PDB file of all heavy atoms in Angstrom:
ATOM      1  N   MET A   1      -5.186  11.200   1.418  1.00  0.00           N
ATOM      2  CA  MET A   1      -4.502  11.274   2.728  1.00  0.00           C
ATOM      3  C   MET A   1      -4.895  12.550   3.337  1.00  0.00           C
ATOM      4  O   MET A   1      -4.637  13.665   2.835  1.00  0.00           O
ATOM      5  CB  MET A   1      -3.039  11.243   2.572  1.00  0.00           C
ATOM      6  CG  MET A   1      -2.515  10.023   1.771  1.00  0.00           C
ATOM      7  SD  MET A   1      -0.690   9.806   1.783  1.00  0.00           S
ATOM      8  CE  MET A   1      -0.210  11.320   0.938  1.00  0.00           C
ATOM      9  N   ASN A   2      -5.599  12.476   4.437  1.00  0.00           N
ATOM     10  CA  ASN A   2      -6.097  13.687   5.211  1.00  0.00           C
ATOM     11  C   ASN A   2      -5.372  13.847   6.509  1.00  0.00           C
ATOM     12  O   ASN A   2      -4.763  12.886   7.030  1.00  0.00           O
ATOM     13  CB  ASN A   2      -7.639  13.569   5.379  1.00  0.00           C
ATOM     14  CG  ASN A   2      -8.363  13.508   4.071  1.00  0.00           C
ATOM     15  OD1 ASN A   2      -7.961  14.097   3.084  1.00  0.00           O
ATOM     16  ND2 ASN A   2      -9.482  12.837   4.129  1.00  0.00           N
ATOM     17  N   ASN A   3      -5.465  15.050   7.114  1.00  0.00           N
ATOM     18  CA  ASN A   3      -4.926  15.344   8.362  1.00  0.00           C
ATOM     19  C   ASN A   3      -3.562  14.756   8.502  1.00  0.00           C
ATOM     20  O   ASN A   3      -3.221  13.991   9.446  1.00  0.00           O
ATOM     21  CB  ASN A   3      -5.838  14.823   9.467  1.00  0.00           C
ATOM     22  CG  ASN A   3      -5.457  15.265  10.907  1.00  0.00           C
ATOM     23  OD1 ASN A   3      -4.798  16.279  11.052  1.00  0.00           O
ATOM     24  ND2 ASN A   3      -5.857  14.505  11.891  1.00  0.00           N
ATOM     25  N   GLN A   4      -2.654  15.189   7.601  1.00  0.00           N
ATOM     26  CA  GLN A   4      -1.323  14.647   7.560  1.00  0.00           C
ATOM     27  C   GLN A   4      -0.483  15.010   8.811  1.00  0.00           C
ATOM     28  O   GLN A   4      -0.648  16.138   9.352  1.00  0.00           O
ATOM     29  CB  GLN A   4      -0.594  15.095   6.349  1.00  0.00           C
ATOM     30  CG  GLN A   4      -1.131  14.405   5.062  1.00  0.00           C
ATOM     31  CD  GLN A   4      -0.796  12.947   5.033  1.00  0.00           C
ATOM     32  OE1 GLN A   4       0.257  12.566   4.683  1.00  0.00           O
ATOM     33  NE2 GLN A   4      -1.757  12.127   5.536  1.00  0.00           N
ATOM     34  N   LYS A   5       0.380  14.025   9.247  1.00  0.00           N
ATOM     35  CA  LYS A   5       1.201  14.260  10.402  1.00  0.00           C
ATOM     36  C   LYS A   5       2.716  14.109   9.982  1.00  0.00           C
ATOM     37  O   LYS A   5       2.962  13.489   8.903  1.00  0.00           O
ATOM     38  CB  LYS A   5       0.923  13.214  11.436  1.00  0.00           C
ATOM     39  CG  LYS A   5      -0.597  13.184  11.872  1.00  0.00           C
ATOM     40  CD  LYS A   5      -0.909  12.078  12.853  1.00  0.00           C
ATOM     41  CE  LYS A   5      -2.344  12.087  13.279  1.00  0.00           C
ATOM     42  NZ  LYS A   5      -2.660  11.059  14.239  1.00  0.00           N
ATOM     43  N   HIS A   6       3.544  14.527  10.728  1.00  0.00           N
ATOM     44  CA  HIS A   6       4.976  14.411  10.480  1.00  0.00           C
ATOM     45  C   HIS A   6       5.386  12.960  10.212  1.00  0.00           C
ATOM     46  O   HIS A   6       6.125  12.721   9.343  1.00  0.00           O
ATOM     47  CB  HIS A   6       5.821  15.013  11.631  1.00  0.00           C
ATOM     48  CG  HIS A   6       5.809  16.518  11.724  1.00  0.00           C
ATOM     49  ND1 HIS A   6       6.341  17.374  10.792  1.00  0.00           N
ATOM     50  CD2 HIS A   6       5.188  17.296  12.597  1.00  0.00           C
ATOM     51  CE1 HIS A   6       6.075  18.629  11.147  1.00  0.00           C
ATOM     52  NE2 HIS A   6       5.384  18.641  12.218  1.00  0.00           N
ATOM     53  N   GLU A   7       4.812  12.076  10.981  1.00  0.00           N
ATOM     54  CA  GLU A   7       5.145  10.672  10.854  1.00  0.00           C
ATOM     55  C   GLU A   7       4.626   9.974   9.591  1.00  0.00           C
ATOM     56  O   GLU A   7       4.936   8.816   9.299  1.00  0.00           O
ATOM     57  CB  GLU A   7       4.654   9.840  12.077  1.00  0.00           C
ATOM     58  CG  GLU A   7       3.262  10.036  12.398  1.00  0.00           C
ATOM     59  CD  GLU A   7       2.999  11.172  13.461  1.00  0.00           C
ATOM     60  OE1 GLU A   7       3.702  12.162  13.449  1.00  0.00           O
ATOM     61  OE2 GLU A   7       2.178  10.884  14.400  1.00  0.00           O
ATOM     62  N   ASP A   8       3.813  10.757   8.808  1.00  0.00           N
ATOM     63  CA  ASP A   8       3.425  10.265   7.514  1.00  0.00           C
ATOM     64  C   ASP A   8       4.405  10.509   6.383  1.00  0.00           C
ATOM     65  O   ASP A   8       4.259  10.090   5.264  1.00  0.00           O
ATOM     66  CB  ASP A   8       2.122  10.877   7.137  1.00  0.00           C
ATOM     67  CG  ASP A   8       0.952  10.540   7.998  1.00  0.00           C
ATOM     68  OD1 ASP A   8       0.839   9.299   8.393  1.00  0.00           O
ATOM     69  OD2 ASP A   8       0.103  11.379   8.333  1.00  0.00           O
ATOM     70  N   THR A   9       5.533  11.246   6.771  1.00  0.00           N
ATOM     71  CA  THR A   9       6.553  11.464   5.811  1.00  0.00           C
ATOM     72  C   THR A   9       7.161  10.154   5.339  1.00  0.00           C
ATOM     73  O   THR A   9       7.606   9.317   6.150  1.00  0.00           O
ATOM     74  CB  THR A   9       7.721  12.331   6.405  1.00  0.00           C
ATOM     75  OG1 THR A   9       7.163  13.676   6.653  1.00  0.00           O
ATOM     76  CG2 THR A   9       8.909  12.451   5.501  1.00  0.00           C
ATOM     77  N   ALA A  10       7.121   9.875   3.964  1.00  0.00           N
ATOM     78  CA  ALA A  10       7.597   8.548   3.551  1.00  0.00           C
ATOM     79  C   ALA A  10       7.636   8.678   2.020  1.00  0.00           C
ATOM     80  O   ALA A  10       7.054   9.589   1.360  1.00  0.00           O
ATOM     81  CB  ALA A  10       6.730   7.482   3.982  1.00  0.00           C
ATOM     82  N   VAL A  11       8.182   7.618   1.371  1.00  0.00           N
ATOM     83  CA  VAL A  11       7.981   7.313  -0.054  1.00  0.00           C
ATOM     84  C   VAL A  11       6.802   6.347  -0.135  1.00  0.00           C
ATOM     85  O   VAL A  11       6.808   5.396   0.563  1.00  0.00           O
ATOM     86  CB  VAL A  11       9.246   6.765  -0.664  1.00  0.00           C
ATOM     87  CG1 VAL A  11       8.989   6.397  -2.120  1.00  0.00           C
ATOM     88  CG2 VAL A  11      10.406   7.699  -0.531  1.00  0.00           C
ATOM     89  N   TYR A  12       5.845   6.771  -0.931  1.00  0.00           N
ATOM     90  CA  TYR A  12       4.612   5.978  -1.048  1.00  0.00           C
ATOM     91  C   TYR A  12       4.633   5.197  -2.350  1.00  0.00           C
ATOM     92  O   TYR A  12       4.971   5.759  -3.403  1.00  0.00           O
ATOM     93  CB  TYR A  12       3.400   6.866  -1.038  1.00  0.00           C
ATOM     94  CG  TYR A  12       3.126   7.345   0.390  1.00  0.00           C
ATOM     95  CD1 TYR A  12       3.854   8.354   0.968  1.00  0.00           C
ATOM     96  CD2 TYR A  12       2.042   6.795   1.135  1.00  0.00           C
ATOM     97  CE1 TYR A  12       3.613   8.804   2.277  1.00  0.00           C
ATOM     98  CE2 TYR A  12       1.780   7.218   2.423  1.00  0.00           C
ATOM     99  CZ  TYR A  12       2.585   8.189   2.990  1.00  0.00           C
ATOM    100  OH  TYR A  12       2.290   8.632   4.293  1.00  0.00           O
ATOM    101  N   TYR A  13       4.380   3.908  -2.284  1.00  0.00           N
ATOM    102  CA  TYR A  13       4.366   3.003  -3.380  1.00  0.00           C
ATOM    103  C   TYR A  13       3.007   2.326  -3.574  1.00  0.00           C
ATOM    104  O   TYR A  13       2.287   2.027  -2.668  1.00  0.00           O
ATOM    105  CB  TYR A  13       5.383   1.882  -3.156  1.00  0.00           C
ATOM    106  CG  TYR A  13       6.778   2.279  -3.017  1.00  0.00           C
ATOM    107  CD1 TYR A  13       7.249   2.586  -1.695  1.00  0.00           C
ATOM    108  CD2 TYR A  13       7.701   2.372  -4.053  1.00  0.00           C
ATOM    109  CE1 TYR A  13       8.561   2.956  -1.453  1.00  0.00           C
ATOM    110  CE2 TYR A  13       9.031   2.744  -3.835  1.00  0.00           C
ATOM    111  CZ  TYR A  13       9.407   3.063  -2.594  1.00  0.00           C
ATOM    112  OH  TYR A  13      10.751   3.360  -2.379  1.00  0.00           O
ATOM    113  N   CYS A  14       2.639   2.089  -4.865  1.00  0.00           N
ATOM    114  CA  CYS A  14       1.505   1.221  -5.180  1.00  0.00           C
ATOM    115  C   CYS A  14       2.054  -0.041  -5.754  1.00  0.00           C
ATOM    116  O   CYS A  14       3.106  -0.039  -6.334  1.00  0.00           O
ATOM    117  CB  CYS A  14       0.544   1.910  -6.044  1.00  0.00           C
ATOM    118  SG  CYS A  14       1.065   2.317  -7.737  1.00  0.00           S
ATOM    119  N   ALA A  15       1.257  -1.060  -5.601  1.00  0.00           N
ATOM    120  CA  ALA A  15       1.636  -2.414  -6.115  1.00  0.00           C
ATOM    121  C   ALA A  15       0.372  -3.109  -6.476  1.00  0.00           C
ATOM    122  O   ALA A  15      -0.748  -2.845  -5.883  1.00  0.00           O
ATOM    123  CB  ALA A  15       2.445  -3.190  -5.122  1.00  0.00           C
ATOM    124  N   ALA A  16       0.484  -4.049  -7.448  1.00  0.00           N
ATOM    125  CA  ALA A  16      -0.735  -4.743  -7.952  1.00  0.00           C
ATOM    126  C   ALA A  16      -0.451  -6.217  -8.029  1.00  0.00           C
ATOM    127  O   ALA A  16       0.718  -6.684  -8.182  1.00  0.00           O
ATOM    128  CB  ALA A  16      -1.058  -4.198  -9.365  1.00  0.00           C
ATOM    129  N   VAL A  17      -1.546  -6.969  -8.012  1.00  0.00           N
ATOM    130  CA  VAL A  17      -1.455  -8.388  -8.136  1.00  0.00           C
ATOM    131  C   VAL A  17      -2.727  -8.874  -8.709  1.00  0.00           C
ATOM    132  O   VAL A  17      -3.861  -8.447  -8.291  1.00  0.00           O
ATOM    133  CB  VAL A  17      -1.120  -9.101  -6.778  1.00  0.00           C
ATOM    134  CG1 VAL A  17      -2.215  -8.859  -5.777  1.00  0.00           C
ATOM    135  CG2 VAL A  17      -0.943 -10.612  -6.996  1.00  0.00           C
ATOM    136  N   PRO A  18      -2.722  -9.785  -9.673  1.00  0.00           N
ATOM    137  CA  PRO A  18      -4.013 -10.327 -10.218  1.00  0.00           C
ATOM    138  C   PRO A  18      -4.627 -11.239  -9.182  1.00  0.00           C
ATOM    139  O   PRO A  18      -4.036 -12.215  -8.772  1.00  0.00           O
ATOM    140  CB  PRO A  18      -3.545 -11.090 -11.466  1.00  0.00           C
ATOM    141  CG  PRO A  18      -2.168 -11.414 -11.299  1.00  0.00           C
ATOM    142  CD  PRO A  18      -1.596 -10.344 -10.451  1.00  0.00           C
ATOM    143  N   SER A  19      -5.805 -10.832  -8.727  1.00  0.00           N
ATOM    144  CA  SER A  19      -6.402 -11.610  -7.620  1.00  0.00           C
ATOM    145  C   SER A  19      -7.923 -11.267  -7.547  1.00  0.00           C
ATOM    146  O   SER A  19      -8.309 -10.146  -7.731  1.00  0.00           O
ATOM    147  CB  SER A  19      -5.759 -11.210  -6.311  1.00  0.00           C
ATOM    148  OG  SER A  19      -6.452 -11.848  -5.234  1.00  0.00           O
ATOM    149  N   GLY A  20      -8.672 -12.347  -7.222  1.00  0.00           N
ATOM    150  CA  GLY A  20     -10.084 -12.144  -7.055  1.00  0.00           C
ATOM    151  C   GLY A  20     -10.495 -12.074  -5.537  1.00  0.00           C
ATOM    152  O   GLY A  20     -11.649 -12.029  -5.234  1.00  0.00           O
ATOM    153  N   ALA A  21      -9.506 -12.129  -4.713  1.00  0.00           N
ATOM    154  CA  ALA A  21      -9.771 -12.094  -3.276  1.00  0.00           C
ATOM    155  C   ALA A  21     -10.230 -10.728  -2.887  1.00  0.00           C
ATOM    156  O   ALA A  21      -9.898  -9.666  -3.436  1.00  0.00           O
ATOM    157  CB  ALA A  21      -8.587 -12.455  -2.493  1.00  0.00           C
ATOM    158  N   SER A  22     -11.088 -10.649  -1.819  1.00  0.00           N
ATOM    159  CA  SER A  22     -11.525  -9.411  -1.291  1.00  0.00           C
ATOM    160  C   SER A  22     -10.563  -8.927  -0.230  1.00  0.00           C
ATOM    161  O   SER A  22      -9.781  -9.676   0.328  1.00  0.00           O
ATOM    162  CB  SER A  22     -12.935  -9.564  -0.720  1.00  0.00           C
ATOM    163  OG  SER A  22     -12.944 -10.504   0.358  1.00  0.00           O
ATOM    164  N   ALA A  23     -10.636  -7.644   0.017  1.00  0.00           N
ATOM    165  CA  ALA A  23      -9.871  -7.068   1.133  1.00  0.00           C
ATOM    166  C   ALA A  23     -10.601  -7.512   2.418  1.00  0.00           C
ATOM    167  O   ALA A  23     -11.800  -7.545   2.443  1.00  0.00           O
ATOM    168  CB  ALA A  23      -9.833  -5.522   1.025  1.00  0.00           C
ATOM    169  N   PRO A  24      -9.962  -7.832   3.492  1.00  0.00           N
ATOM    170  CA  PRO A  24      -8.554  -7.685   3.748  1.00  0.00           C
ATOM    171  C   PRO A  24      -7.648  -8.760   3.314  1.00  0.00           C
ATOM    172  O   PRO A  24      -6.425  -8.665   3.407  1.00  0.00           O
ATOM    173  CB  PRO A  24      -8.484  -7.614   5.287  1.00  0.00           C
ATOM    174  CG  PRO A  24      -9.611  -8.519   5.705  1.00  0.00           C
ATOM    175  CD  PRO A  24     -10.677  -8.331   4.675  1.00  0.00           C
ATOM    176  N   PHE A  25      -8.247  -9.864   2.777  1.00  0.00           N
ATOM    177  CA  PHE A  25      -7.389 -10.989   2.415  1.00  0.00           C
ATOM    178  C   PHE A  25      -6.297 -10.616   1.410  1.00  0.00           C
ATOM    179  O   PHE A  25      -5.121 -11.055   1.497  1.00  0.00           O
ATOM    180  CB  PHE A  25      -8.190 -12.194   1.971  1.00  0.00           C
ATOM    181  CG  PHE A  25      -9.232 -12.636   2.932  1.00  0.00           C
ATOM    182  CD1 PHE A  25     -10.576 -12.309   2.787  1.00  0.00           C
ATOM    183  CD2 PHE A  25      -8.842 -13.307   4.058  1.00  0.00           C
ATOM    184  CE1 PHE A  25     -11.494 -12.620   3.683  1.00  0.00           C
ATOM    185  CE2 PHE A  25      -9.840 -13.708   5.023  1.00  0.00           C
ATOM    186  CZ  PHE A  25     -11.129 -13.385   4.795  1.00  0.00           C
ATOM    187  N   VAL A  26      -6.734  -9.837   0.408  1.00  0.00           N
ATOM    188  CA  VAL A  26      -5.767  -9.548  -0.654  1.00  0.00           C
ATOM    189  C   VAL A  26      -4.706  -8.578  -0.171  1.00  0.00           C
ATOM    190  O   VAL A  26      -3.653  -8.391  -0.874  1.00  0.00           O
ATOM    191  CB  VAL A  26      -6.551  -8.928  -1.860  1.00  0.00           C
ATOM    192  CG1 VAL A  26      -6.937  -7.500  -1.610  1.00  0.00           C
ATOM    193  CG2 VAL A  26      -5.802  -9.120  -3.126  1.00  0.00           C
ATOM    194  N   CYS A  27      -4.831  -7.952   0.971  1.00  0.00           N
ATOM    195  CA  CYS A  27      -3.778  -7.150   1.490  1.00  0.00           C
ATOM    196  C   CYS A  27      -2.534  -7.917   1.919  1.00  0.00           C
ATOM    197  O   CYS A  27      -1.462  -7.478   1.989  1.00  0.00           O
ATOM    198  CB  CYS A  27      -4.239  -6.386   2.733  1.00  0.00           C
ATOM    199  SG  CYS A  27      -5.212  -4.856   2.382  1.00  0.00           S
ATOM    200  N   ARG A  28      -2.728  -9.247   2.188  1.00  0.00           N
ATOM    201  CA  ARG A  28      -1.683 -10.097   2.671  1.00  0.00           C
ATOM    202  C   ARG A  28      -0.943 -10.845   1.605  1.00  0.00           C
ATOM    203  O   ARG A  28      -0.047 -11.555   1.901  1.00  0.00           O
ATOM    204  CB  ARG A  28      -2.276 -11.105   3.635  1.00  0.00           C
ATOM    205  CG  ARG A  28      -3.052 -10.455   4.829  1.00  0.00           C
ATOM    206  CD  ARG A  28      -2.107  -9.849   5.821  1.00  0.00           C
ATOM    207  NE  ARG A  28      -2.813  -9.223   6.980  1.00  0.00           N
ATOM    208  CZ  ARG A  28      -3.083  -7.977   7.107  1.00  0.00           C
ATOM    209  NH1 ARG A  28      -2.721  -7.130   6.162  1.00  0.00           N
ATOM    210  NH2 ARG A  28      -3.738  -7.523   8.176  1.00  0.00           N
ATOM    211  N   VAL A  29      -1.364 -10.811   0.360  1.00  0.00           N
ATOM    212  CA  VAL A  29      -0.748 -11.522  -0.710  1.00  0.00           C
ATOM    213  C   VAL A  29       0.570 -10.916  -1.112  1.00  0.00           C
ATOM    214  O   VAL A  29       0.908  -9.754  -0.727  1.00  0.00           O
ATOM    215  CB  VAL A  29      -1.711 -11.722  -1.941  1.00  0.00           C
ATOM    216  CG1 VAL A  29      -2.956 -12.320  -1.566  1.00  0.00           C
ATOM    217  CG2 VAL A  29      -1.875 -10.343  -2.616  1.00  0.00           C
ATOM    218  N   GLN A  30       1.336 -11.604  -1.895  1.00  0.00           N
ATOM    219  CA  GLN A  30       2.587 -11.157  -2.516  1.00  0.00           C
ATOM    220  C   GLN A  30       2.257 -10.324  -3.785  1.00  0.00           C
ATOM    221  O   GLN A  30       1.778 -10.817  -4.755  1.00  0.00           O
ATOM    222  CB  GLN A  30       3.510 -12.280  -2.805  1.00  0.00           C
ATOM    223  CG  GLN A  30       4.945 -11.898  -3.195  1.00  0.00           C
ATOM    224  CD  GLN A  30       5.803 -11.549  -1.983  1.00  0.00           C
ATOM    225  OE1 GLN A  30       5.467 -11.887  -0.870  1.00  0.00           O
ATOM    226  NE2 GLN A  30       6.912 -10.909  -2.211  1.00  0.00           N
ATOM    227  N   TYR A  31       2.555  -9.051  -3.791  1.00  0.00           N
ATOM    228  CA  TYR A  31       2.306  -8.159  -4.866  1.00  0.00           C
ATOM    229  C   TYR A  31       3.420  -8.381  -5.855  1.00  0.00           C
ATOM    230  O   TYR A  31       4.604  -8.408  -5.565  1.00  0.00           O
ATOM    231  CB  TYR A  31       2.200  -6.728  -4.406  1.00  0.00           C
ATOM    232  CG  TYR A  31       0.837  -6.505  -3.763  1.00  0.00           C
ATOM    233  CD1 TYR A  31       0.581  -6.838  -2.404  1.00  0.00           C
ATOM    234  CD2 TYR A  31      -0.260  -5.954  -4.477  1.00  0.00           C
ATOM    235  CE1 TYR A  31      -0.599  -6.675  -1.816  1.00  0.00           C
ATOM    236  CE2 TYR A  31      -1.500  -5.777  -3.934  1.00  0.00           C
ATOM    237  CZ  TYR A  31      -1.672  -6.148  -2.562  1.00  0.00           C
ATOM    238  OH  TYR A  31      -2.920  -5.902  -2.027  1.00  0.00           O
ATOM    239  N   THR A  32       3.066  -8.345  -7.181  1.00  0.00           N
ATOM    240  CA  THR A  32       3.979  -8.755  -8.215  1.00  0.00           C
ATOM    241  C   THR A  32       4.476  -7.583  -9.066  1.00  0.00           C
ATOM    242  O   THR A  32       5.452  -7.671  -9.783  1.00  0.00           O
ATOM    243  CB  THR A  32       3.385  -9.786  -9.111  1.00  0.00           C
ATOM    244  OG1 THR A  32       2.115  -9.331  -9.638  1.00  0.00           O
ATOM    245  CG2 THR A  32       3.113 -11.136  -8.347  1.00  0.00           C
ATOM    246  N   VAL A  33       3.723  -6.490  -9.117  1.00  0.00           N
ATOM    247  CA  VAL A  33       4.106  -5.331  -9.917  1.00  0.00           C
ATOM    248  C   VAL A  33       4.133  -4.106  -9.037  1.00  0.00           C
ATOM    249  O   VAL A  33       3.171  -3.886  -8.292  1.00  0.00           O
ATOM    250  CB  VAL A  33       3.039  -5.076 -11.084  1.00  0.00           C
ATOM    251  CG1 VAL A  33       3.475  -3.916 -11.958  1.00  0.00           C
ATOM    252  CG2 VAL A  33       2.857  -6.379 -11.887  1.00  0.00           C
ATOM    253  N   TRP A  34       5.212  -3.403  -9.071  1.00  0.00           N
ATOM    254  CA  TRP A  34       5.479  -2.285  -8.236  1.00  0.00           C
ATOM    255  C   TRP A  34       5.705  -1.001  -8.992  1.00  0.00           C
ATOM    256  O   TRP A  34       6.373  -1.051 -10.056  1.00  0.00           O
ATOM    257  CB  TRP A  34       6.579  -2.522  -7.277  1.00  0.00           C
ATOM    258  CG  TRP A  34       6.324  -3.541  -6.239  1.00  0.00           C
ATOM    259  CD1 TRP A  34       6.344  -4.908  -6.337  1.00  0.00           C
ATOM    260  CD2 TRP A  34       5.922  -3.291  -4.872  1.00  0.00           C
ATOM    261  NE1 TRP A  34       5.943  -5.479  -5.196  1.00  0.00           N
ATOM    262  CE2 TRP A  34       5.692  -4.544  -4.247  1.00  0.00           C
ATOM    263  CE3 TRP A  34       5.731  -2.097  -4.090  1.00  0.00           C
ATOM    264  CZ2 TRP A  34       5.304  -4.667  -2.922  1.00  0.00           C
ATOM    265  CZ3 TRP A  34       5.386  -2.213  -2.796  1.00  0.00           C
ATOM    266  CH2 TRP A  34       5.193  -3.467  -2.209  1.00  0.00           C
ATOM    267  N   GLY A  35       5.279   0.103  -8.473  1.00  0.00           N
ATOM    268  CA  GLY A  35       5.661   1.375  -9.029  1.00  0.00           C
ATOM    269  C   GLY A  35       7.018   1.862  -8.440  1.00  0.00           C
ATOM    270  O   GLY A  35       7.574   1.214  -7.533  1.00  0.00           O
ATOM    271  N   GLN A  36       7.413   3.043  -8.868  1.00  0.00           N
ATOM    272  CA  GLN A  36       8.720   3.515  -8.499  1.00  0.00           C
ATOM    273  C   GLN A  36       8.591   4.399  -7.142  1.00  0.00           C
ATOM    274  O   GLN A  36       9.651   4.700  -6.649  1.00  0.00           O
ATOM    275  CB  GLN A  36       9.392   4.369  -9.613  1.00  0.00           C
ATOM    276  CG  GLN A  36       8.922   5.875  -9.697  1.00  0.00           C
ATOM    277  CD  GLN A  36       7.450   5.997 -10.104  1.00  0.00           C
ATOM    278  OE1 GLN A  36       6.888   5.071 -10.625  1.00  0.00           O
ATOM    279  NE2 GLN A  36       6.930   7.198  -9.918  1.00  0.00           N
TER     280      GLN A  36
END
């Protein structure tokens, strides 16, 4: 994350899903595993 702005203040999460789809399609799927 570069050139951070006040509006970037947030809790950031990663999530994963087993998928062979390429981005951007895989961005739209339901993610099944989430971090804290």
Side-chain angles (χ1 to χ4, degrees):
M1 307 187 296
N2 298 327
N3 189 23
Q4 288 292 278
K5 304 176 180 181
H6 289 290
E7 51 265 40
D8 293 321
T9 293
V11 178
Y12 285 75
Y13 300 88
C14 64
V17 61
S19 174
S22 61
F25 303 104
V26 77
C27 280
R28 302 287 184 258
V29 303
Q30 189 79 15
Y31 285 80
T32 55
V33 182
W34 289 80
Q36 83 291 345

